[in-house]
Amino acid sequence: MFFTPWSPPTPVEQQLQAATARGDWDGQVGALAGGELYVAVARVEADGLVPPAPLAPYRDPVSGKRCLPVLTRGALPPWQPDWVFQRTALDDLALEWPHDKWHLAVNPGHPAAAVIPATPLDRAAWLEVYAEAPPPAADRLLSLFTGPLHGPLAHGLACGAPLAVRDGVPWNELGTVYRDYDEDRAVLRDTWGVMDPAGWWHLTERLLAGAGAGRDAEFALRAREGLAEHAGAAPGSGESPSPSTSPATSPSTEEWRQAVTHVLMHRAAPEAEVRAMDAAVTRIAAAEERLREQGLLQPGQRVASAVAHDLACAVTVARLGLAARLCGPADAERVVLSAGEAARRAYGSWPAFAAGFVLGEALRSGDPRAGSPGPQGFPGHAGEGSPDGASLTHRIHRVLTADPASPWLNIPWS
């Protein structure tokens, strides 16, 4: 009989297993200092429906020690409706440890398991190791090596990769946490106004439909594509410009504005709608120009649609809803797959999707050069209108278009 060798889900489990195998206490603690740790909590306790139970140790069957268990992210169990996980860190454990004779059990029963003494001297050493550990690099591409890496589900999750990089979570995880139970529920409530399954369903449907992109902006972008096609220019693809997408063949902003106005007047649209569409053209043109200045769009490049931002948000909201127990795994997977399908209908490549994402984000940024923010209820990134926000967008874009491990470079578009 053949057995598939165990593969560490993340570098933390890999480092922990290697340190435990060689009896390296410092290596064990060092591995934990660089990662997040999770504590299991009954959902009724986390929701405040019953008083929290006091911390109780268990006797580890291998070492015989009385231990308090924690899990690394890669060792979290499959999603369960009644058990949730709250995040902690090595320094918090050191400062709040309840009993000097208890040990710390990391990933009990897992290939990357470890039992670590937790006397006052040990915990003081934990704090020293934690203080010396380099902080996690910002805007990293994180992957679960055991998560989806190919196929439709991976493609859909990759559509949410910009927000996963921003939030410091693995891009290809659809499981028991996004960050942790309390924070995931707070983000849905405070950012999206979602507090129950019905609200989650309504939001995901709106995001999948591209409702956050803005009717005016999408109409204006479609009108420009029609004008360019009529003039013989290639459709906006997000790729590097070819002769057919050069500024000489793409419609100018004034030609675009006149074409949109002509269409609306032919339809006898109200004057307020004409003004709104004219403002949308101006806002998009200004946003695209700034993105070119930042190197996020190539000279002469057009963006065909801004719905990529909504679809990335839909993937993130699906992951948050699953983590917050507002939906089940099948429902979250359906949203992620639908986002991938919608992205393929709207764009022809990952570069095109990336261009749509950065434009959609810019239109929601509140950047005075790009016009007013997007519709209420479809927030962009915090601080996008500031130089720091623009720098964050640029770093995320660079990671996903240049990192050899990026799903945008490894998952076929079609």
Side-chain angles (χ1 to χ4, degrees), residues 44-45 87 103 138 143 157-158 212 246 254 283 292 295 324:
V44 290
E45 293 180 20
R87 187 171 50 170
H103 285 57
S143 302
L157 288 168
S246 66
E254 186 57 33
R283 187 168 71 249
R292 293 186 189 99

mmCIF file of all heavy atoms in Angstrom, residues 44-45 87 103 138 143 157-158 212 246 254 283 292 295 324:
data_model
loop_
_atom_site.group_PDB
_atom_site.id
_atom_site.type_symbol
_atom_site.label_atom_id
_atom_site.label_comp_id
_atom_site.label_asym_id
_atom_site.label_seq_id
_atom_site.Cartn_x
_atom_site.Cartn_y
_atom_site.Cartn_z
ATOM 1 N N VAL A 44 -21.564 29.197 20.626
ATOM 2 C CA VAL A 44 -22.521 29.821 21.542
ATOM 3 C C VAL A 44 -21.798 30.702 22.558
ATOM 4 O O VAL A 44 -22.349 31.716 23.018
ATOM 5 C CB VAL A 44 -23.375 28.750 22.258
ATOM 6 C CG1 VAL A 44 -24.339 28.092 21.286
ATOM 7 C CG2 VAL A 44 -22.497 27.710 22.958
ATOM 8 N N GLU A 45 -20.569 30.342 22.907
ATOM 9 C CA GLU A 45 -19.784 31.191 23.802
ATOM 10 C C GLU A 45 -19.291 32.435 23.065
ATOM 11 O O GLU A 45 -19.359 33.551 23.588
ATOM 12 C CB GLU A 45 -18.602 30.419 24.363
ATOM 13 C CG GLU A 45 -18.962 29.284 25.302
ATOM 14 C CD GLU A 45 -17.735 28.563 25.824
ATOM 15 O OE1 GLU A 45 -16.634 29.158 25.775
ATOM 16 O OE2 GLU A 45 -17.858 27.418 26.278
ATOM 17 N N ARG A 87 -8.186 34.297 17.230
ATOM 18 C CA ARG A 87 -6.758 34.422 16.955
ATOM 19 C C ARG A 87 -6.008 34.941 18.183
ATOM 20 O O ARG A 87 -6.507 35.782 18.929
ATOM 21 C CB ARG A 87 -6.569 35.377 15.778
ATOM 22 C CG ARG A 87 -5.171 35.502 15.263
ATOM 23 C CD ARG A 87 -5.132 36.288 13.978
ATOM 24 N NE ARG A 87 -5.859 37.550 14.070
ATOM 25 C CZ ARG A 87 -5.824 38.513 13.155
ATOM 26 N NH1 ARG A 87 -5.107 38.330 12.066
ATOM 27 N NH2 ARG A 87 -6.486 39.620 13.309
ATOM 28 N N HIS A 103 1.569 22.995 30.047
ATOM 29 C CA HIS A 103 2.383 23.119 28.844
ATOM 30 C C HIS A 103 1.526 23.672 27.698
ATOM 31 O O HIS A 103 0.294 23.650 27.751
ATOM 32 C CB HIS A 103 2.960 21.761 28.430
ATOM 33 C CG HIS A 103 4.089 21.307 29.295
ATOM 34 N ND1 HIS A 103 3.984 21.147 30.663
ATOM 35 C CD2 HIS A 103 5.381 20.954 28.978
ATOM 36 C CE1 HIS A 103 5.136 20.739 31.155
ATOM 37 N NE2 HIS A 103 5.996 20.596 30.161
ATOM 38 N N ALA A 138 4.818 43.110 4.759
ATOM 39 C CA ALA A 138 3.514 43.593 4.308
ATOM 40 C C ALA A 138 3.287 43.192 2.855
ATOM 41 O O ALA A 138 4.233 43.009 2.077
ATOM 42 C CB ALA A 138 3.443 45.107 4.452
ATOM 43 N N SER A 143 -0.022 31.496 0.356
ATOM 44 C CA SER A 143 -0.757 30.381 -0.236
ATOM 45 C C SER A 143 -0.840 29.242 0.761
ATOM 46 O O SER A 143 0.081 29.045 1.561
ATOM 47 C CB SER A 143 -0.067 29.875 -1.512
ATOM 48 O OG SER A 143 0.078 30.898 -2.471
ATOM 49 N N LEU A 157 -11.101 31.949 -6.588
ATOM 50 C CA LEU A 157 -10.385 32.491 -5.436
ATOM 51 C C LEU A 157 -9.298 33.471 -5.871
ATOM 52 O O LEU A 157 -9.034 34.469 -5.192
ATOM 53 C CB LEU A 157 -9.780 31.351 -4.619
ATOM 54 C CG LEU A 157 -10.777 30.504 -3.822
ATOM 55 C CD1 LEU A 157 -10.097 29.242 -3.297
ATOM 56 C CD2 LEU A 157 -11.383 31.296 -2.673
ATOM 57 N N ALA A 158 -8.666 33.203 -7.009
ATOM 58 C CA ALA A 158 -7.624 34.110 -7.508
ATOM 59 C C ALA A 158 -8.191 35.471 -7.870
ATOM 60 O O ALA A 158 -7.463 36.476 -7.845
ATOM 61 C CB ALA A 158 -6.916 33.486 -8.707
ATOM 62 N N GLY A 212 -21.899 47.378 -7.677
ATOM 63 C CA GLY A 212 -21.037 48.370 -7.056
ATOM 64 C C GLY A 212 -20.210 49.155 -8.051
ATOM 65 O O GLY A 212 -19.663 50.198 -7.723
ATOM 66 N N SER A 246 -3.450 51.874 -29.845
ATOM 67 C CA SER A 246 -2.650 53.059 -29.595
ATOM 68 C C SER A 246 -3.569 54.265 -29.431
ATOM 69 O O SER A 246 -4.727 54.251 -29.843
ATOM 70 C CB SER A 246 -1.698 53.304 -30.780
ATOM 71 O OG SER A 246 -2.451 53.627 -31.936
ATOM 72 N N GLU A 254 -12.713 63.591 -25.486
ATOM 73 C CA GLU A 254 -13.752 64.467 -26.038
ATOM 74 C C GLU A 254 -14.653 63.698 -27.007
ATOM 75 O O GLU A 254 -15.888 63.864 -26.989
ATOM 76 C CB GLU A 254 -13.100 65.661 -26.748
ATOM 77 C CG GLU A 254 -14.099 66.703 -27.242
ATOM 78 C CD GLU A 254 -14.973 67.250 -26.121
ATOM 79 O OE1 GLU A 254 -14.491 67.355 -24.969
ATOM 80 O OE2 GLU A 254 -16.153 67.550 -26.395
ATOM 81 N N ARG A 283 -14.566 61.371 -14.837
ATOM 82 C CA ARG A 283 -14.004 60.670 -13.683
ATOM 83 C C ARG A 283 -13.160 59.484 -14.127
ATOM 84 O O ARG A 283 -12.061 59.259 -13.616
ATOM 85 C CB ARG A 283 -15.134 60.213 -12.763
ATOM 86 C CG ARG A 283 -14.653 59.621 -11.451
ATOM 87 C CD ARG A 283 -15.784 59.447 -10.459
ATOM 88 N NE ARG A 283 -16.691 58.376 -10.825
ATOM 89 C CZ ARG A 283 -17.942 58.536 -11.232
ATOM 90 N NH1 ARG A 283 -18.440 59.761 -11.353
ATOM 91 N NH2 ARG A 283 -18.702 57.504 -11.517
ATOM 92 N N ARG A 292 -2.049 55.401 -15.160
ATOM 93 C CA ARG A 292 -0.903 55.362 -16.092
ATOM 94 C C ARG A 292 0.326 56.005 -15.441
ATOM 95 O O ARG A 292 1.445 55.511 -15.589
ATOM 96 C CB ARG A 292 -1.255 56.070 -17.395
ATOM 97 C CG ARG A 292 -2.325 55.367 -18.215
ATOM 98 C CD ARG A 292 -2.532 56.021 -19.572
ATOM 99 N NE ARG A 292 -3.703 55.457 -20.217
ATOM 100 C CZ ARG A 292 -4.907 56.018 -20.224
ATOM 101 N NH1 ARG A 292 -5.076 57.204 -19.637
ATOM 102 N NH2 ARG A 292 -5.921 55.435 -20.820
ATOM 103 N N GLY A 295 1.970 53.634 -13.314
ATOM 104 C CA GLY A 295 2.460 52.431 -13.975
ATOM 105 C C GLY A 295 1.517 51.252 -13.883
ATOM 106 O O GLY A 295 1.892 50.125 -14.243
ATOM 107 N N ALA A 324 -17.737 33.649 9.249
ATOM 108 C CA ALA A 324 -18.659 34.198 10.251
ATOM 109 C C ALA A 324 -19.879 33.322 10.471
ATOM 110 O O ALA A 324 -20.765 33.695 11.229
ATOM 111 C CB ALA A 324 -19.094 35.600 9.821
#
